[in-house]
Amino acid sequence: MAVLPIVTVPDPLLKKVSEPVKKVDDELRTFMDDMLETMYDAPGIGLAAVQVGRLLRILVIDIAPDGEDPNPMYFINPEITWTSEELNTYNEGCLSIPEQYADIERPAECKVKFLDYDGNEQEIHADGLLATCIQHEMDHLNGVVFIDYLSKIKRSMYVRKVKKHVKEKAG
Ligand code: NI
């Protein structure tokens, strides 16, 4: 497995729409293993393929609390088939917007259909942090990041802070 470099805002790649996966094979599984290792290393609880430079409709998520056994989840070609009317607000972060957080409102629950690690069709009903995380990561597949929900002024402030953070880390 390998830790891959993470793309950060304002990289134009993050604005692109990802393509559906055509075949779930060993090459893809190796890539998903690398995505997971990259996410754990960051550390983070969710990662979309575009964040490591590949425009494929793949997410990895693990929301297991610290100190508990890892519970990696893989979502290939995920589709949200239902969202609740009830909303929920979480203070969201993103590995492509390091060290920055904002309260974002989304449906509290959702149903998502996807292919799993072995290429089998699955559908789950998610709530709480998992529902938020799935919707946040799904946004990445459509070229959307959480700061796109904020005002233009706030958004540019976040981007400036990320640029500074990236520069400091590199220097
Ligand atoms: Ni994100």
Side-chain angles (χ1 to χ4, degrees):
M1 292 210 279
V3 172
L4 308 169
I6 296 176
V7 176
T8 55
V9 291
D11 194 309
L13 197 65
L14 293 167
K15 296 261 180 219
K16 300 229 159 120
V17 175
S18 295
E19 297 287 328
V21 169
K22 292 202 181 84
K23 200 170 136 212
V24 182
D25 56 13
D26 285 343
E27 188 277 325
L28 194 83
R29 275 186 279 271
T30 301
F31 173 61
M32 292 194 293
D33 292 341
D34 290 344
M35 281 179 68
L36 195 73
E37 194 180 352
T38 304
M39 182 186 83
Y40 286 148
D41 178 73
I45 59 170
L47 188 76
V50 60
Q51 294 181 275
V52 289
R54 281 182 79 175
L55 288 166
L56 288 173
R57 301 189 79 82
I58 305 172
L59 320 173
V60 295
I61 291 176
D62 189 339
I63 56 156
D66 273 350
E68 279 186 24
D69 287 342
N71 181 28
M73 302 175 81
Y74 306 84
F75 299 84
I76 303 164
N77 297 342
E79 275 173 60
I80 289 178
T81 56
W82 172 84
T83 53
S84 63
E85 275 178 38
E86 194 200 336
L87 303 174
N88 208 350
T89 302
Y90 263 98
N91 195 242
E92 295 189 17
C94 179
L95 295 178
S96 293
I97 312 169
E99 312 277 311
Q100 309 302 321
Y101 303 88
D103 282 344
I104 305 293
E105 192 175 57
R106 301 182 187 272
E109 296 172 47
C110 65
K111 280 187 188 166
V112 58
K113 213 171 72 175
F114 58 98
L115 300 177
D116 65 17
Y117 193 79
D118 299 309
N120 297 317
E121 256 186 58
Q122 304 278 352
E123 185 164 18
I124 60 164
H125 183 158
D127 61 8
L129 180 58
L130 183 59
T132 295
C133 196
I134 288 171
Q135 292 173 78
H136 171 119
E137 301 308 332
M138 291 276 310
D139 273 354
H140 279 297
L141 304 185
N142 299 318
V144 174
V145 289
F146 79 80
I147 56 173
D148 293 335
Y149 295 110
L150 308 177
S151 69
K152 212 175 164 185
I153 290 174
K154 270 198 179 163
R155 193 157 65 232
S156 47
M157 184 191 80
Y158 276 69
V159 170
R160 257 200 325 274
K161 284 186 176 172
V162 170
K163 279 185 180 165
K164 191 166 170 247
H165 173 84
V166 169
K167 208 173 150 188
E168 278 169 4
K169 247 184 111 187

